[in-house]
Amino acid sequence: GAQFPLALPGRCIALSTEPGDVVLDPFVGSGTSVVAALALGRRAIGTDTSREYLATAENKVQALEASKVRGTAPIPARLPDVKAV
């Protein structure tokens, strides 16, 4: 699957949704879009046909949640340079 920086889906999500909205990614892959959505205060649903990709995405989400508890989130709660127009 294609891998891309967190800021790419983060920018699209920030511009097209509000905090608390649900983001659906029917081809979640490694979970970057779900992690970006959660980091921006959105709820997220991700599906995929690959169990391997789903396991990777789940691990990323669990790591994000654990880092929030420890206060060491690997990504900011608000992605920089994202402005609604």
Side-chain angles (χ1 to χ4, degrees):
Q3 293 186 10
F4 41 83
L6 190 62
L8 183 62
R11 182 169 176 79
C12 295
I13 291 166
L15 291 172
S16 61
T17 64
E18 296 293 328
D21 283 354
V22 176
V23 174
L24 171 64
D25 185 350
F27 308 101
V28 74
S30 65
T32 305
S33 59
V34 169
V35 170
L38 294 173
L40 290 166
R42 278 61 169 177
R43 296 173 293 156
I45 299 170
T47 65
D48 206 295
T49 58
S50 167
R51 291 183 192 268
E52 183 178 332
Y53 281 139
L54 289 172
T56 299
E58 185 174 353
N59 287 337
K60 281 187 177 182
V61 169
Q62 289 174 351
L64 173 67
E65 294 302 319
S67 67
K68 285 181 180 178
V69 170
R70 291 189 312 268
T72 59
I75 55 176
R78 188 175 64 80
L79 297 173
D81 301 318
V82 177
K83 297 179 183 168
V85 291

